[in-house]
Amino acid sequence: MSVQVDPPELPMTEGHGGSAMPAPAHPAPAPGTDRRPRPTPLPTLPLGDPTGGADALRWKHLVDGPLRYPHVSIDRDVEIRMSDGVLLRATVIRPADHHRRAVSTAYPAVVNINPYNRALLDVIDTALHSPVVGRGVRGLAGTVNIIGTPLSGATDDTRILSGGVLDVFGINRNLVRSGYTQVIVDVRGTGASHGKWQILGAREQQDSVEICRWVAAQPWCDGTYGMAGWSYSAINSLQAADKRPEGLKAVFAVEGCEDIVRDIYITGGLPSAFIPMWLSIVNVLKWIPNPATSVRDILRGNAVKWFADRVASPATEVGSLAWGFLTGHDDRVYDDPYFDERDPVVDRIDVPTFLFGGWHDLFGRSATSIYSHLDMEPGRKQLVVADGYHVDAGSGFGGPTHPPRVDVLERAWFDKWLKGIDNGVDNYGPVTLEQQGGSWTSGDCFPRAGATVRRLYLDDKRSGTASHAVHDGTLGGSPVATGRSLGIRPDMRGLKSRDMTQVTAGITAMFGKDFTTDARHQEGGALAFTTPPVTERTQISGAMNLRLHVSTSGQEGIWAVTVNDVAPDGTSRVLTNGALTVSNRAIDHDLSEYADDGTLLVAHHYLSRKRKLPVPADVALPIDVDLVPTDAVLDIGHRLRVDVYAGSVPRYLTVIPDLIRAHGRRQDLVLDPKHPSYLTFQAIGSPGW
């Protein structure tokens, strides 16, 4: 099939000073050779163009232009028998000729192992690729813009349809038509697969390796394959890669996770409302038979075994999670070996790996951490981090100043590493970041080169910028002069905050700025500490740690923290967050991260039952709250603010025993010249504080 495609125009990319300029008509320059004009002295990442320039135009043309094959052949009734006898069900998508017959040529495969039921992926595929509906959905998604309305945040959610991530999540017809075979498998115990769902456990990881071995041996596969996925399927792609199965050549992981405990499961010892919501969704989806094969399943007896397995585990882990939340007696409300076996061993991965993340993603800590732990040279590892959440992955990608669409990058990545095509994708990035408060930049490291450790102290003196908060304090270069305790109590303002949008994976972003870009409503329950306005544009890049001295009238204290960018009009935008229960204040120094001068940058708390510490009433105790790493720019006239809360529901929930121990508590932030409270971070620039 031939398609006439007009030659694409060169995109416009935002310059370092915010001006628009044509994208360079050549690959990104080598380090140190970027000669584009820099209208401001703001330091930037040194390599070039986050849009990918002329290389990305070629990648996009390969995806959107004429493809090698006119159709795809989809077999939704493929059975894969595991070594323990459990039957997994899969969909195999192969290139097809004009008669819609699968071609006989063996091609590299792309494997996606997913717990969300292939029937759901079929619905998405139909919506995106049916001749009439698909064209309309994609067209509408690319044009909808309701910014300025009460539902302005919904614009980002609709733009994921045109950003290409759903092609990575489900059936990627254009990838297959270009000469790949795609294999999508229902995880054990989910979708149409038999067995009990293990939630990324050891047997499920063995399944991934056995699936890979099966794929490589099929006549339609040339023996090589890549693994791809979004969220859960990104995690199990990383898990499989650390086993180094023969034939695996590359990984493309969108919003995966390296440490599910600290990211979202029990951050700072506090469970997240996301986990029971997510478990409920997957457990409901696993009870839905796949209509594409349901009749044949009944005739062959597969339906009986499938139903028996579902009855044996009707709501996997829901009961144990509830028991742990109510009693504190289940190890899954602590950092336990249960989680250790589920975290990918990143430093064992030896194949080229492309990573995507979001500063406010459910797994906000993981993308940059995985990148740093991959033991390979930049180029073979790539990192893209957006200023987004989870369900909005890829929103805006492919736009004039954004990275290429996610499906375009996936095709380029696999063309390079599965087919050996020298297309320049290894010269992209390797670190492409959407800087909060700034624009997309592309360079060679995170944190940014030249970032140095800074410290700002919390002071009770009034800043005059946060009269809406419980206390309006200052954040400055010197410790507090005299001692004082500032009391604070928990409230429910977190229900209308960026914390809420993070815990709902980005869904509540549609409800407007109180849920995304303006924290002043939530700050009504905060102790706020704010700097003077910056006098020079200043970049914050990397990890942060907040040292606090706190006391409580109960036997447990619950603390939540945000660090915000405050605009001259008073708008307070959350840049990063963190939380900690006081009983979990013990630090594993071997796993914590320190600057060259010994300054603590990332506190790694044990979060285990046996390492919990007593919390004596009305005694000031030091705690270190580790914050999600970020990359942000404070423009001239903006301020940095630390907000301290007595919890943030539903982002951080408290197990019932801890809640009982803290019942009726009054919490105090103790400002003491001998034991100062301070924010440690890394920055470039001289803000004048």
Side-chain angles (χ1 to χ4, degrees), residues 176-255:
V176 172
R177 289 174 57 201
S178 68
Y180 289 88
T181 295
Q182 189 179 14
V183 181
I184 302 175
V185 186
D186 285 330
V187 166
R188 166 186 297 252
T190 71
S193 288
H194 297 176
K196 178 183 176 180
W197 184 32
Q198 270 214 331
I199 313 181
L200 298 166
R203 177 62 241 194
E204 188 178 307
Q205 294 176 50
Q206 185 176 337
D207 289 348
S208 296
V209 174
E210 292 181 14
I211 290 167
C212 290
R213 187 181 303 131
W214 177 88
V215 167
Q218 298 308 301
W220 36 255
C221 178
D222 68 1
T224 63
Y225 56 91
M227 298 195 72
W230 178 16
S231 191
Y232 193 106
S233 50
I235 299 172
N236 62 33
S237 294
L238 296 167
Q239 289 177 327
D242 79 37
K243 312 297 186 295
R244 301 182 177 179
E246 185 178 356
L248 178 63
K249 298 299 183 183
V251 169
F252 193 85
V254 179
E255 295 181 338

Side-chain angles (χ1 to χ4, degrees), residues 115-117 189-191 197 199 275-288 306 310 313-319:
Y116 299 113
N117 199 322
T190 71
W197 184 32
I199 313 181
I275 296 300
M277 290 189 297
W278 171 74
L279 279 175
S280 299
I281 290 170
V282 179
N283 274 297
V284 168
L285 287 173
K286 78 180 188 183
W287 276 94
I288 300 174
W306 173 87
R310 295 300 178 272
S313 181
T316 306
E317 295 287 16
V318 171

Side-chain angles (χ1 to χ4, degrees), residues 282-624:
V282 179
N283 274 297
V284 168
L285 287 173
K286 78 180 188 183
W287 276 94
I288 300 174
N290 193 322
T293 61
S294 56
V295 174
R296 280 168 288 177
D297 288 343
I298 292 171
L299 295 175
R300 291 182 300 203
N302 281 340
V304 174
K305 175 59 177 170
W306 173 87
F307 184 75
D309 287 345
R310 295 300 178 272
V311 171
S313 181
T316 306
E317 295 287 16
V318 171
S320 60
L321 182 69
W323 177 251
F325 182 79
L326 292 172
T327 68
H329 290 159
D330 192 283
D331 288 336
R332 279 157 286 198
V333 296
Y334 305 99
D335 192 1
D336 181 76
Y338 173 88
F339 294 105
D340 292 341
E341 74 172 20
R342 286 161 168 78
D343 291 335
V345 186
V346 173
D347 59 7
R348 278 192 47 81
I349 298 173
D350 62 355
V351 296
T353 301
F354 205 123
L355 303 162
F356 287 79
W359 298 127
H360 302 277
D361 180 26
L362 296 167
F363 310 129
R365 305 164 191 266
S366 280
T368 54
S369 179
I370 293 171
Y371 181 82
S372 68
H373 291 153
L374 284 170
D375 187 16
M376 63 185 73
E377 65 275 15
R380 283 175 56 84
K381 60 177 180 178
Q382 296 269 352
L383 173 68
V384 174
V385 185
D387 184 12
Y389 305 97
H390 196 73
V391 299
D392 62 347
S395 176
F397 281 32
T401 62
H402 287 60
R405 295 195 323 255
V406 183
D407 62 316
V408 170
L409 285 168
E410 181 190 33
R411 164 76 186 277
W413 193 246
F414 288 142
D415 276 356
K416 168 65 180 179
W417 301 112
L418 271 63
K419 294 187 174 182
I421 299 172
D422 187 11
N423 56 12
V425 72
D426 50 327
N427 294 320
Y428 181 70
V431 177
T432 303
L433 309 175
E434 186 175 15
Q435 190 173 51
Q436 296 192 76
S439 60
W440 281 98
T441 60
S442 188
D444 62 355
C445 64
F446 176 83
R448 294 172 183 258
T452 58
V453 177
R454 314 292 177 89
R455 180 176 290 184
L456 291 172
Y457 295 89
L458 280 61
D459 195 319
D460 66 316
K461 290 185 295 186
R462 187 173 181 274
S463 75
T465 65
S467 59
H468 55 288
V470 173
H471 181 82
D472 171 22
T474 58
L475 193 62
S478 302
V480 64
T482 58
R484 182 180 177 185
S485 293
L486 302 175
I488 189 169
R489 291 187 181 275
D491 61 28
M492 301 301 290
R493 290 174 178 266
L495 290 168
K496 190 178 181 181
S497 69
R498 196 165 210 176
D499 281 348
M500 180 67 169
T501 300
Q502 184 182 38
V503 82
T504 59
I507 293 173
T508 56
M510 68 178 66
F511 298 130
K513 63 181 182 180
D514 288 341
F515 291 85
T516 53
T517 58
D518 194 348
R520 282 179 287 187
H521 170 79
Q522 187 184 22
E523 286 177 341
L527 304 173
F529 302 88
T530 314
T531 67
V534 303
T535 56
E536 176 184 307
R537 296 183 78 193
T538 300
Q539 291 183 104
I540 295 170
S541 188
M544 295 187 188
N545 185 78
L546 184 65
R547 163 59 67 94
L548 298 176
H549 276 74
V550 299
S551 69
T552 176
S553 60
Q555 282 74 52
E556 182 61 284
I558 296 102
W559 295 93
V561 173
T562 65
V563 176
N564 299 16
D565 172 5
V566 182
D569 66 359
T571 299
S572 180
R573 180 174 181 146
V574 173
L575 301 177
T576 183
N577 62 351
L580 187 68
T581 57
V582 179
S583 63
N584 280 300
R585 63 189 181 276
I587 294 174
D588 184 337
H589 293 284
D590 290 337
L591 294 179
S592 298
E593 296 181 21
Y594 298 85
D596 291 340
D597 63 359
T599 300
L600 179 63
L601 295 176
V602 180
H604 187 99
H605 301 93
Y606 288 103
L607 304 184
S608 64
R609 191 205 309 256
K610 66 181 180 180
R611 300 306 293 260
K612 289 174 76 77
L613 299 175
V615 182
D618 300 317
V619 174
L621 299 168
I623 64 172
D624 288 283

